[in-house]
Amino acid sequence: MTMKVNLMHGAGGEVMGELLQTLTKFSHNNAGGIGLESLDDGAVIPIGDTNLVFTTDSHVVQPIFFPGGDIGRLAVCGTINDLSVMGGRPIALSCGMILEEGFEISALERIVRSMDEALGECGASLVTGDTKVLERGALDQIAINTAGIGIAERPVRDNGLQVGDAIIVSGTIGDHGMAIMCYREGFDLGEQISSDVAPLWPMIERALGSGEIHAMKDPTRGGFANAINEMAHKSRVGVRISEEDFPIRRSVKSASEMLGIDPLEVANEGKVIIGVAAEDAESVLNALRSHPYGRDAVIVGTVTDDGQVIMETEIGGERFIEAPMGDPVPRVC
Ligand code: MG
């Protein structure tokens, strides 16, 4: 039987992992630092006495304008945040745009304005780009790829969790995925759920300056559940999460119950998971909270030595948090 790509292959979970086995079969995969094989948020290339961080991200979100953001803000933030969680100060981005014939120039202008605004929030620049146009029907409106470089004195990995570390999340979980889903479904929850899409470097820079951060990752596709499992697995540790302290908006909770979607498994585009030495947890937490994008930051758990990711429920039980097969919301970023 001929194997073909399906939508789950792009959903950022276990199924996508299978496709990555094919897509990462490069023997030339490392430029002297951290390369493709580590499947981290970006690559690290040592240059002189510092490090270049390099990453890329493509965006095909549907709809392209959604509550809280648009495909342009998402395309800049996706790359900025992957650089940031590697400890890299974002410097310069590229932008490859693929457009469908008939796409409105006014929409393109809005997208570019919104990209520029996100760049401005963290002092990065868009310095090079490319544009292609496909015939009507060959593409759904627009696809944007961005690549970015940053500079990291001390790169941070996603595999550095240590037993005893505190796990911090920088704010409410599930907002982006549920905002996209509710908007598509036309849900009226009284309060509109907004995407959290945001460029996190200024907030992360404050956190890096206030404690010994051992590991970071942005919980994008596959959500918190996927990211925390990846961090624990790569670090060869376990994690215990307390449901009581876990930040999820009430509206996100109700929507996820209605849709039968676990908010822990959907994408966030303006959040970071941080593993930090226990004695530094409070100061890192305060640093995050001092920035508007981190005002809801909380310590949600601790790193253990048992290799399992477990949530202690509010009623005193325990459940495993498993990596999802894929993000339950398609075309989320
Ligand atoms: Mg990432």
Side-chain angles (χ1 to χ4, degrees):
M1 198 180 76
T2 318
M3 295 272 284
K4 291 190 176 171
V5 171
N6 64 60
L7 279 174
M8 284 298 278
H9 280 131
E14 297 269 293
V15 176
M16 186 162 145
E18 292 164 20
L19 186 67
L20 287 181
Q21 288 178 10
T22 301
L23 292 177
T24 54
K25 272 193 186 137
F26 288 88
S27 49
H28 312 286
N29 64 1
N30 190 313
I34 298 164
L36 188 62
E37 74 291 343
S38 57
L39 298 178
D40 208 326
D41 299 283
V44 175
I45 305 164
I47 303 273
D49 53 7
T50 190
N51 299 281
L52 199 65
V53 185
F54 184 34
T55 193
T56 183
D57 213 335
S58 298
H59 292 87
V60 293
V61 65
Q62 193 52 240
I64 57 176
F65 297 101
F66 49 81
D70 57 58
I71 191 171
R73 184 169 176 83
L74 201 56
V76 166
C77 295
T79 287
I80 296 266
N81 293 346
D82 276 340
L83 295 174
S84 304
V85 295
M86 296 297 293
R89 168 191 300 280
I91 305 291
L93 271 68
S94 71
C95 171
M97 283 214 185
I98 310 177
L99 301 164
E100 183 189 14
E101 178 188 14
F103 194 79
E104 283 181 21
I105 299 292
S106 62
L108 205 51
E109 285 167 349
R110 262 179 86 185
I111 289 166
V112 167
R113 268 200 304 275
S114 141
M115 293 176 80
D116 198 34
E117 204 179 289
L119 289 162
E121 284 188 52
C122 42
S125 299
L126 202 144
V127 293
T128 186
D130 174 61
T131 309
K132 299 284 189 297
V133 179
L134 299 191
E135 60 275 29
R136 204 179 288 269
L139 171 78
D140 187 2
Q141 295 183 286
I142 181 171
I144 305 180
N145 173 274
T146 54
I149 55 171
I151 298 289
E153 299 302 326
R154 279 180 303 123
V156 179
R157 306 287 307 271
D158 59 6
N159 67 356
L161 292 179
Q162 296 178 18
V163 175
D165 281 356
I167 298 290
I168 297 176
V169 294
S170 65
T172 53
I173 291 296
D175 299 12
H176 177 73
M178 293 313 296
I180 297 284
M181 201 60 194
C182 289
Y183 189 64
R184 280 190 202 148
E185 299 285 320
F187 271 17
D188 181 9
L189 297 149
E191 168 201 1
Q192 189 171 50
I193 301 174
S194 251
S195 167
D196 58 352
V197 58
L200 296 179
W201 172 249
M203 180 190 80
I204 286 177
E205 186 179 26
R206 289 185 195 178
L208 285 169
S210 27
E212 195 187 319
I213 290 178
H214 292 151
M216 279 197 282
K217 196 163 195 66
D218 53 340
T220 52
R221 273 175 304 177
F224 177 85
N226 197 62
I228 195 70
N229 270 285
E230 200 175 327
M231 293 173 87
H233 183 75
K234 286 177 172 175
S235 312
R236 301 171 192 276
V237 295
V239 172
R240 280 189 95 79
I241 300 291
S242 156
E243 186 176 39
E244 203 181 342
D245 305 323
F246 203 84
I248 300 178
R249 282 180 207 285
R250 195 183 307 227
S251 53
V252 167
K253 209 170 259 179
S254 346
S256 61
E257 277 161 15
M258 276 193 277
L259 292 162
I261 289 175
D262 184 349
L264 263 53
E265 296 185 358
V266 308
N268 308 271
E269 296 291 345
K271 298 291 151 51
V272 57
I273 305 173
I274 297 178
V276 57
E279 60 271 24
D280 292 345
E282 280 300 324
S283 65
V284 168
L285 189 63
N286 290 332
L288 291 168
R289 285 179 175 167
S290 74
H291 192 280
Y293 293 147
R295 62 177 174 263
D296 297 324
V298 276
I299 299 172
V300 294
T302 51
V303 177
T304 64
D305 60 3
D306 67 3
Q308 290 171 335
V309 182
I310 289 171
M311 180 173 268
E312 294 172 1
T313 66
E314 276 166 317
I315 51 166
E318 287 184 354
R319 70 172 174 99
F320 289 112
I321 299 178
E322 286 173 81
M325 297 307 284
D327 194 305
V329 186
R331 301 253 323 250
V332 72
C333 61

